[in-house]
Amino acid sequence: HVTGVQTCALPISQHGRRTAAAVRRLAHATIRIRPFPAMTDKSARRRALPLAVFPLTAIVLSVGIAFYMFRDWHVHVRDAQVAAVTRAETVSTLIADVLDRVMENVTSDFVFLGQRIDELNGDLGEVRLNRVLSALIPPRGVIQYAYVDPRGTILASSIRLGAAGIDLSDREHIQAVIAGDRDLHLGLPIVGRVSGQASLNLTKAKTASDGTLHGILVASVELSELDQFFSRSGVGDQVEVVIVGHDGIVRYQRPKTSDPEPATIAVQEFINAVRAGQSIPWTGPHPTSLTQAVGYVATLPSRKIAVYVGQTLDQIKSKEYSERSEEHTSELQSRGLISYAAFC
């Protein structure tokens, strides 16, 4: 029923009078016809029923399709997270095993070097020490061996003569040994003063029978070798690799960050897992950026380090969305009927 009529005035020229008359007739007819009667007869109700059924059907179908797509999307994201954790466990365990073997080889070399240095009977000239150090064939990735006195001054290096006298007392890996660390210590990433290359340094104290510090054995591991190893292993750029010590300071991170200073782990639960020697799936804040992430933490308790491999949820969703879009596009292109229906 018409509950009211609103009129408006339009400027009409002489040539528009015929159109204006037609508009008035149309308005009059619309008001007189009353398109929605009181529905007192069955034929009127039958004619009006489709007008209500079609929009309701469209709404129900739209809501159902939207709910199905939403549920399907979340199922795929959840499956992608599970797959990401499985891949991260495999990669992190592999990296941890490789690091463990490298550190074991370096430890064996340190034992051999310590015995050879003892055979020098206190004659620690640079030339003789250089011959001892350079006689070893280092493991892949180790670019130099060096011997440092208890004060942090280089006595000899395996890669060149003339390195004696360089002061390393301000380096973290040297300070840790001087402070009393007697285990194999993995230092922070630095640019070597002898090699001139970015490296991680493994240090081990050489002590007398009474525990007195006689010297410090150093092995420098080239960071670019780690990058090449990860590339050969098929670790993608979107997968992050973090090597962290018990102190919560990152030794290695890939992809690289713009900050020259080593990152510090800000998640206490992560540090607790590393210190407890737990190898566990990780779902929660990213170790350094605090964004939501999933991955795996493989620890080496005897080495006091851990390897984290993972991805952020945003990266997983972006990759899943891209793959799903490509699948849908391919399916539409391969099936003409579906493509036509989607177009309609």
Side-chain angles (χ1 to χ4, degrees), residues 235-241 254-255 310-312 314-316 318-319:
V235 179
D237 293 335
Q238 288 191 340
V239 177
E240 184 164 8
V241 178
R254 181 181 185 271
Q311 293 177 278
T312 64
D314 291 339
Q315 290 174 330
I316 293 176
S318 176
K319 181 181 178 182

Side-chain angles (χ1 to χ4, degrees), residues 67-116:
F67 174 76
Y68 172 79
M69 294 177 65
F70 179 80
R71 187 186 65 176
D72 184 63
W73 164 250
H74 277 269
V75 168
H76 279 82
V77 171
R78 186 180 65 244
D79 293 343
Q81 292 181 26
V82 174
V85 171
T86 303
R87 289 193 302 269
E89 180 179 2
T90 302
V91 175
S92 61
T93 303
L94 171 64
I95 295 173
D97 289 343
V98 171
L99 287 175
D100 189 48
R101 287 199 299 270
V102 170
M103 297 176 78
E104 184 63 32
N105 291 335
V106 170
T107 300
S108 300
D109 289 346
F110 280 169
V111 172
F112 174 78
L113 288 174
Q115 295 172 351
R116 293 297 308 275

Side-chain angles (χ1 to χ4, degrees), residues 33-159:
I33 286 174
R34 295 180 179 177
F36 295 100
M39 300 292 179
T40 55
D41 58 291
K42 293 184 179 179
S43 62
R45 287 197 296 270
R46 283 197 299 270
R47 288 195 302 271
L49 183 60
L51 297 177
V53 171
F54 290 159
L56 289 176
T57 304
I59 292 173
V60 171
L61 288 176
S62 299
V63 171
I65 292 172
F67 174 76
Y68 172 79
M69 294 177 65
F70 179 80
R71 187 186 65 176
D72 184 63
W73 164 250
H74 277 269
V75 168
H76 279 82
V77 171
R78 186 180 65 244
D79 293 343
Q81 292 181 26
V82 174
V85 171
T86 303
R87 289 193 302 269
E89 180 179 2
T90 302
V91 175
S92 61
T93 303
L94 171 64
I95 295 173
D97 289 343
V98 171
L99 287 175
D100 189 48
R101 287 199 299 270
V102 170
M103 297 176 78
E104 184 63 32
N105 291 335
V106 170
T107 300
S108 300
D109 289 346
F110 280 169
V111 172
F112 174 78
L113 288 174
Q115 295 172 351
R116 293 297 308 275
I117 291 173
D118 288 338
E119 294 173 359
L120 297 178
N121 296 321
D123 184 5
L124 303 181
E126 182 181 11
V127 175
R128 297 193 69 182
L129 283 173
N130 176 265
R131 289 174 183 170
V132 172
L133 297 173
S134 58
L136 275 177
I137 299 177
R140 182 169 185 170
V142 176
I143 55 178
Q144 79 159 337
Y145 287 116
Y147 189 58
V148 180
D149 69 15
R151 296 171 299 178
T153 303
I154 292 181
L155 296 177
S157 169
S158 63
I159 57 176

